[in-house]
Amino acid sequence: MILRGLMDQSLGGFVCIRGYAPMGELARVSHADLDYQRDLIKTHRETVIRFLRNRKNLFFPEVILSCLLSYDFSKARAVSGLQPLTDVLSGKGFKSNTNGMTVGIKRLPFRGTTDTRVATALQVATLNVPDELLITSHSPLFRIDGNHRLSAADTESEFQDIVTPYCVILFGDDLEDKRNSKTIFHNINSKSIPLTSEENLRIILDDEILFPDDALKDDATFGWAYLLARKTKGSVEPAAVPALKGVLTDRRAALVDLFKLLIEKKAITKSTHHLTELQECLTKVHAIYNNDNDLMANHCVGLFHAFVYFCVTSGSVFLPSLPFALVSDPDV
């Protein structure tokens, strides 16, 4: 298998090959290092599969892999003084005497500039991985980031041909490979501060120009739960429902999850015809919370969802199967 892309030193001096390849090929040539990769979270994997399957607005950052340029200097006819990374950067290329992997370098002709730094920086690297190394769970490249996406291609043939951006970080020493791969994995997962669900939803639900109602109704990208949340969020602002202030700290996220639940349980249909009924139920639920200090101190969103669900399905917020002690427990 061949992976080809532009090569250069990036950020902290790591030698990287960046390019594009079918997702199936990236999956075949790599595996997760279970020493530090967490087990696949089933629900996360299923979410990724749905995202890939919809295809609409499909985009994600690079899959990041690491590759050890293995060389055994104790072997007969080993080249003394060979330095894998240095040789690759200088344009000499590399050939492993342990597994047959090679890295070929070709300088990319760059016309229209006299900047020698730019001209010499553009190098195309061809990483050639012998097919006999493509063994399930023991493929030569490690998955640093993007394991959920590639695991989808491991089992779902429909994703094999999706062109995927990738970055392969080259290492010249086994210890360096393991240590730096773990360090980069840690940095990716701990140093960045992702937006919360509420912050992400604010971007979508509050912008009616870029995301009109018809766009939100599209299940391929968002879905009716998002539109119903937009239509309802104004009625659950803290000033309007002060007793629900604690449970609706992230009111957009709570509403989207609520309407997903109601639609999934067929308590409501995918339409705006239920808005008046939903508003009345939210008013009833607020009154229940407002009359009970224990409930006001309870910030469990699931319990709030249960009250609304029973109100929508029966016209009442009475929960016959839920012990009052549980309802009153602020830690639920």
Side-chain angles (χ1 to χ4, degrees):
M1 178 183 295
I2 291 177
L3 295 176
R4 182 176 290 113
L6 288 177
M7 185 195 71
D8 207 337
Q9 286 184 286
S10 178
L11 300 175
F14 293 110
V15 181
C16 302
I17 300 173
R18 283 189 156 95
Y20 298 86
M23 185 177 292
E25 291 191 9
L26 295 176
R28 283 182 63 211
V29 79
S30 65
H31 73 277
D33 188 333
L34 298 181
D35 284 342
Y36 65 92
Q37 288 270 33
R38 65 184 182 276
D39 291 337
L40 282 175
I41 302 172
K42 183 179 179 181
T43 54
H44 190 166
R45 181 179 177 277
E46 290 174 350
T47 299
V48 170
I49 288 176
R50 287 196 300 271
F51 179 60
L52 293 173
R53 189 163 285 147
N54 286 332
R55 299 296 178 97
K56 188 174 183 180
N57 297 322
L58 179 60
F59 182 82
F60 45 76
E62 295 173 315
V63 166
I64 301 178
L65 311 172
S66 71
C67 176
L68 172 64
L69 302 183
S70 176
Y71 198 83
D72 186 350
F73 289 96
S74 66
K75 278 193 170 184
R77 293 188 294 277
V79 179
S80 177
L82 182 144
Q83 296 179 296
L85 291 181
T86 301
D87 290 349
V88 164
L89 282 172
S90 67
K92 294 179 182 178
F94 168 80
K95 181 175 182 179
S96 172
N97 66 352
T98 63
N99 56 26
M101 289 177 57
T102 65
V103 180
I105 304 298
K106 181 179 180 181
R107 297 192 184 281
L108 188 69
F110 196 89
R111 299 174 182 174
T113 181
T114 57
D115 188 338
T116 57
R117 185 196 62 81
V118 173
T120 57
L122 294 175
Q123 300 184 92
V124 175
T126 300
L127 176 62
N128 194 329
V129 182
D131 288 343
E132 57 267 25
L133 299 182
L134 306 179
I135 304 171
T136 304
S137 78
H138 289 89
S139 298
L141 276 61
F142 293 145
R143 298 175 185 177
I144 296 178
D145 191 53
N147 187 32
H148 283 93
R149 283 166 273 161
L150 294 184
S151 71
D154 283 333
T155 57
E156 307 290 335
S157 59
E158 62 184 294
F159 306 139
Q160 297 283 315
D161 296 329
I162 296 179
V163 176
T164 303
Y166 71 84
C167 172
V168 177
I169 306 174
L170 304 179
F171 295 110
D173 174 81
D174 186 46
L175 183 62
E176 176 188 61
D177 179 21
K178 290 183 171 65
R179 180 177 59 247
N180 285 327
S181 292
K182 290 183 178 182
T183 301
I184 294 169
F185 175 83
H186 168 75
N187 288 342
I188 289 173
N189 287 280
S190 67
K191 302 300 183 184
S192 61
I193 304 176
L195 291 176
T196 65
S197 178
E198 182 70 10
E199 290 168 330
N200 278 312
L201 287 170
R202 182 182 290 110
I203 294 170
I204 304 299
L205 299 186
D206 293 10
D207 193 333
E208 298 188 28
I209 296 177
L210 293 180
F211 301 98
D213 289 354
D214 285 342
L216 292 190
K217 288 189 289 186
D218 186 357
D219 285 331
T221 306
F222 301 108
W224 271 92
Y226 291 79
L227 177 58
L228 293 173
R230 167 181 283 174
K231 298 294 186 182
T232 311
K233 64 183 176 68
S235 64
V236 292
E237 291 182 353
V241 285
L244 296 175
K245 180 179 179 180
V247 77
L248 294 181
T249 301
D250 296 328
R251 58 192 172 99
R252 295 170 184 81
L255 288 174
V256 168
D257 288 342
L258 169 64
F259 293 128
K260 284 181 179 179
L261 170 69
L262 295 177
I263 291 171
E264 179 185 348
K265 298 297 183 182
K266 296 182 169 49
I268 62 174
T269 59
K270 294 180 178 181
S271 73
T272 57
H273 299 319
H274 311 279
L275 284 175
T276 300
E277 177 186 357
L278 289 168
Q279 298 281 9
E280 291 175 354
C281 279
L282 289 171
T283 300
K284 290 179 181 179
V285 171
H286 176 258
I288 295 294
Y289 273 72
N290 194 50
N291 290 326
D292 191 307
N293 290 331
D294 289 330
L295 276 177
M296 277 195 286
N298 189 307
H299 297 172
C300 176
V301 178
L303 182 60
F304 165 74
H305 287 171
F307 273 112
V308 179
Y309 172 80
F310 277 97
C311 181
V312 170
T313 56
S314 66
S316 169
V317 291
F318 175 60
L319 305 179
S321 62
L322 191 61
F324 183 76
L326 181 60
V327 175
S328 302
D329 186 352
D331 294 326
V332 170

